[in-house]
Amino acid sequence: MHNSRRLGQDRDRAQLLRDRLLTELQEHNQAIVRIKTRLNTLIPVSIIPPELLTAIFQLVVDSYKDNRLVSTSPPYAWLSLTHVCTHWREVALASPSLWSEILLPCRLQCIQMMLTRSQGVPLTVHHRIASSPLRRSEEYQSLEAALRCLFRIRSLTLYLPWEHYRKVSFLLSAPAPCMKELSLNTSNMLTCIGRSPPILSINHSLHPGIEKLDLSAYSVLWQGLATCHTLRHFSIDYAPFMRPTINTVAEVLVSLRGLPLLET
C-alpha cells in the first residue's frame, strides 16, 4: 500500500513537471514568433505604408476577376496574400473593400467570412450554378446568405434555372437601395421550352439607383420598370422556343418613355 501511494505521488510530480515544461515551451515558441515578427519589420517591403499596400492588394484581387468566373482554380486564390506575414494579414483584414466581391458557389463559412470582413461596403455578387448536384444544398445556403444582404449589393449576377430562382425569389423582392447592376440568366434553356418566364418586379421603390438591367429568359413588370428613371442600359432576351409574357407593343413603348436616361 505504501508503494502504491509513493507511485501515485511520483506520477503527480511527473505530471506537474511535464506541465511546467510544456508551459515553458509555449512561452519560448511565442517569443520566437515575436522575434520573427520584429525581423519581418526590418525588411524593405515592410516600410510600404498600409494604404499603398492595400492598393497593391486590390490590384492583385482585381487581376483575378476576369479569370475566376471561368477558371477551375479556387475562387479566392488571392487569399494566399494574407498568409505571407502577420503585417500583411493585418493590413488585408483592415481593408473591407478587398472582401467585397463574393463568388458563388462557395462554402457557407467562406461567404459568412466575406460578409463579415467586408463590413458595410457595397458588395459585388457573382453566382453560377454548381456543376455537381452534391453541392446544391450547400450552394443554396451560401446563395441565401449572400442575398440576405441584398441591401448592400451593388452589382448582382445570377445564373439560375427557373426552379432554383423560385426558391430565392422572396429574397430578391427585398429593397436594394445600393443596386446599380442586375443580371439574371438561366443556366439551362432547354427546361424553358414552351413555358412562360418568371416575372421580376423591378421598380424605383425597391431599386432607386439601378442603372443596368440584363435579363435572359426572365421577364419584368413593365409598369414598375417605367419608374426606374436612373436606368441607362436595359437588355431583355427571350429564347426563340420560349413563350414570353403577353404585352402589347404600346405598353412596352409607354414604359420605355418613362426612362429618360436610357442609352442602350
Side-chain angles (χ1 to χ4, degrees), residues 61-217:
V61 173
D62 292 343
S63 71
Y64 282 95
K65 284 184 178 179
D66 294 335
N67 297 326
R68 283 179 298 186
L69 298 180
V70 296
S71 174
T72 56
S73 61
Y76 294 108
W78 66 267
L79 284 174
S80 58
L81 288 172
T82 65
H83 302 153
V84 172
C85 65
T86 301
H87 176 57
W88 282 26
R89 180 172 179 81
E90 290 174 348
V91 171
L93 291 177
S95 308
S97 62
L98 297 178
W99 311 90
S100 63
E101 185 172 12
I102 295 177
L103 301 174
L104 298 162
C106 193
R107 290 182 294 109
L108 178 60
Q109 294 86 346
C110 181
I111 299 304
Q112 292 171 334
M113 176 193 70
M114 299 293 289
L115 292 173
T116 300
R117 293 181 178 178
S118 61
Q119 299 180 29
V121 302
L123 302 171
T124 297
V125 177
H126 295 275
H127 169 271
R128 290 183 182 273
I129 198 71
S131 57
S132 171
L134 297 177
R135 297 183 59 189
R136 297 287 166 81
S137 176
E138 184 177 34
E139 176 190 3
Y140 290 134
Q141 294 178 355
S142 300
L143 178 59
E144 183 175 336
L147 292 181
R148 288 193 181 279
C149 292
L150 192 67
F151 62 93
R152 289 179 52 196
I153 297 178
R154 174 175 52 198
S155 177
L156 177 62
T157 301
L158 298 177
Y159 286 82
L160 284 177
W162 289 353
E163 61 272 19
H164 299 164
Y165 163 79
R166 293 186 175 93
K167 294 180 180 180
V168 297
S169 60
F170 70 100
L171 294 171
L172 290 170
S173 63
C178 293
M179 185 80 70
K180 297 295 183 184
E181 300 180 0
L182 172 60
S183 178
L184 188 56
N185 303 269
T186 182
S187 58
N188 189 353
M189 285 286 190
L190 294 179
T191 63
C192 306
I193 296 177
R195 300 164 60 192
S196 295
I199 301 176
L200 279 71
S201 179
I202 308 293
N203 56 64
H204 177 75
S205 177
L206 296 177
H207 313 86
I210 192 164
E211 297 179 358
K212 183 178 181 180
L213 179 61
D214 179 14
L215 302 177
S216 179

